[in-house]
Amino acid sequence: MTPGCEDKVPPDDPVIMGGPIISLRAGDPLNLTCHADNAKPAASIIWMRRGEVINGATYSKTLLRDGKRESIMSTLFIAPSDIENGESIVCRATNKAIPSGKETSVTIDIQREYTAG
C-alpha cells in the first residue's frame, strides 16, 4: 500500500434528494438537499445554476463511525420568484482526493394550475 494513500478518500457520488425531477406548484419555494458521503477530508458542496454558483446554502457535516471519513449535507432554499420551469440545478462535491469534483443535477418542473372558466 502506498504511504499517504489513506489520507484522501473521494466522496461517493452526490445525491439530490427527490431528484432527478423536482415538481413544484407555481408560487412554492424550492428546498433542495444534496449529500455527499464517505469522504476524507469532508467534501465541499457548491450549488450551481446556468454555470454560476448559487450562494446562501446551509451545510452540516457528520463524522462517520470509523472516525476518519465524513459526510456532508447541504440545503438550498430558492424563493418562488427566482425559479424557472425546466431549469437545472447542479450539486457539485469536491475534496482533495477529487479536485475536479463529482456532480449531479435536478430539473425543476413547475406545475401551473389551470382553472376551467
Side-chain angles (χ1 to χ4, degrees):
M1 192 162 164
T2 314
C5 207
E6 272 301 300
D7 292 345
K8 301 183 194 109
V9 180
D12 294 345
D13 291 343
V15 175
I16 300 175
M17 291 154 72
I21 295 176
I22 306 286
S23 292
L24 286 178
R25 282 198 313 246
D28 282 358
L30 178 62
N31 269 304
L32 293 177
T33 299
C34 179
H35 61 89
D37 302 326
N38 300 312
K40 182 184 174 193
S44 295
I45 287 179
I46 59 170
W47 293 92
M48 300 183 71
R49 166 171 64 179
R50 298 179 223 119
E52 294 182 5
V53 173
I54 307 170
N55 295 312
T58 59
Y59 301 91
S60 62
K61 293 180 186 175
T62 307
L63 188 63
L64 301 183
R65 286 189 180 156
D66 66 6
K68 297 174 183 155
R69 292 171 300 148
E70 292 183 87
S71 294
I72 186 168
M73 182 175 291
S74 176
T75 303
L76 179 70
F77 175 87
I78 301 178
S81 59
D82 202 22
I83 307 166
E84 289 181 25
N85 191 37
E87 180 162 68
S88 180
I89 310 277
V90 173
C91 167
R92 179 183 293 160
T94 60
N95 75 352
K96 288 178 182 166
I98 184 161
S100 60
K102 297 178 171 183
E103 61 183 44
T104 186
S105 65
V106 291
T107 301
I108 308 307
D109 176 35
I110 298 175
Q111 310 287 317
R112 306 248 176 235
E113 291 183 32
Y114 294 104
T115 53

